[in-house]
Amino acid sequence: MLHSLIRDFLKLRLCTTLQVREKGHLSRPHLRNPSWFLRKERKMRDNLVTAENKSFVQEIVHDVYGQSSVIKGSHNQICQTQLVKTGDSETQPWTPYTRRTGVIARKIGQYPLWLKNGEKIRTTLLQVVENHAIKYTPPEEYKPAHRPKVAELNKYGCLLVGAESCDPSILTKEYCNLFKNSGVMPKRHLVRFLISPSAAISPGTPLNANHFRVGDYVDVRGKTVDHGFQGVVKRHGFKGMPASHGVTKTHRRPGNIGGGGEKGRVWPGTKLPGHMGNRWRKAKGLRIWRINNKYNVLWVQGSAIPGSTNGLVYIYDSILPLRRHKTAPPFPTVLNDPEECEDVWFEEVHNFKSETITFKSEEQN
């Protein structure tokens, strides 16, 4: 009798099982910044600042960073006493396995182009907005908190790139100290790129659209449009149930998911309703058809680049084996900005600005 009671007691589950999450939670965007992240903007009320104080603050900003000027179609402020000289840096030779830095661009719209054979292609316009190199961390000092999925991470350094200059009076002192050694105004957006040590760039070096060439293939990374919680018709493209013939309240439902029998559960990967969008996605192997050097605009192949209009995307050299660089690109970047033509077209694209039909006056008899 005692043995049977002990046996029944051991069969009882006195401890609760822990909930095990799948790997899907790793790709979800973080809603809060980590504890070590610096706070960018400080609390400030404009109604407590008089007009004279505002003008005084602007004078201080102009004394430190220089007057505002227009460079390649975008407003920017250049430091009068540049801390870093980019022209004296020694460049190393390029190799096919060298990894260059990328740029931060803004998706501004779509535009069609036509090839010389009459074929129509869709392109997306990406504008490189005031990019500057902020800080470079060598491989031996780069220790990320979250290890990225990159093979042989110890061979690459980290380059911090900033985009879109903003007013430093609305930022915290800790955030402004990140740009102390770069000689540029504080940036609104910061991105880290893994690069080879030979492709390191000095802080304060500008990055423009001529960092790439027409005909090159690039990869574009962006966050998809956030649609919220959606059903299977919009999220996965289901056809839905019939509109009539006895169908009641199941017109846009998924239907049977086949979870009965011996399985008795929902199989992983089943297409069901859920949150749609707001995920980081990459579009790989996109060709650059046209470059406008005046406004820093790239015409990139395709109309399915992730992100909404006026959203930020990251552009870097393609990692596809068959679409890598065959010849040496501007390495590590275009340090001396030459006077190039305003528009650069790929040789297969038809330029409507060029003359295609010429007329000759007939000789009067």
Side-chain angles (χ1 to χ4, degrees), residues 133-154:
I134 305 301
K135 180 182 178 181
Y136 172 71
T137 305
E140 55 272 9
E141 299 180 4
Y142 178 58
K143 297 179 181 180
H146 302 281
R147 183 179 178 88
K149 297 180 181 179
V150 178
E152 299 179 352
L153 182 62
N154 55 354

Side-chain angles (χ1 to χ4, degrees), residues 83-249:
L83 301 179
V84 180
K85 295 182 180 180
T86 58
D88 299 339
S89 59
E90 298 180 359
T91 58
Q92 300 183 9
W94 174 83
T95 60
Y97 300 99
T98 305
R99 192 166 186 170
R100 298 194 307 162
T101 181
V103 297
I104 309 172
R106 188 173 291 278
K107 182 179 176 181
I108 60 177
Q110 300 180 9
Y111 197 80
L113 292 178
W114 280 266
L115 302 182
K116 293 183 179 180
N117 58 2
E119 181 182 355
K120 179 183 176 180
I121 56 176
R122 292 183 177 183
T123 60
T124 302
L125 278 66
L126 304 177
Q127 185 179 21
V128 182
V129 283
E130 301 180 36
N131 287 12
H132 286 84
I134 305 301
K135 180 182 178 181
Y136 172 71
T137 305
E140 55 272 9
E141 299 180 4
Y142 178 58
K143 297 179 181 180
H146 302 281
R147 183 179 178 88
K149 297 180 181 179
V150 178
E152 299 179 352
L153 182 62
N154 55 354
K155 292 185 178 180
Y156 300 107
C158 177
L159 181 66
L160 186 66
V161 179
E164 291 189 0
S165 302
C166 58
D167 188 5
S169 61
I170 63 175
L171 304 176
T172 60
K173 183 178 179 180
E174 294 79 11
Y175 185 80
C176 293
N177 288 336
L178 296 175
F179 311 90
K180 186 176 181 180
N181 299 327
S182 60
V184 298
M185 287 195 64
K187 299 295 182 178
R188 193 181 308 273
H189 308 285
L190 294 176
V191 178
R192 293 174 293 181
F193 291 100
L194 297 179
I195 62 175
S196 302
S198 59
I201 301 177
S202 302
T205 305
L207 300 173
N208 300 319
N210 51 15
H211 182 71
F212 303 99
R213 302 170 298 179
V214 290
D216 292 346
Y217 293 95
V218 294
D219 295 345
V220 182
R221 182 176 184 263
K223 184 179 289 187
T224 58
V225 180
D226 189 4
H227 293 276
F229 192 93
Q230 296 296 331
V232 293
V233 175
K234 183 175 181 179
R235 190 186 184 195
H236 300 293
F238 281 20
K239 183 180 179 181
M241 301 297 178
S244 61
H245 296 284
V247 178
T248 305
K249 298 181 181 180

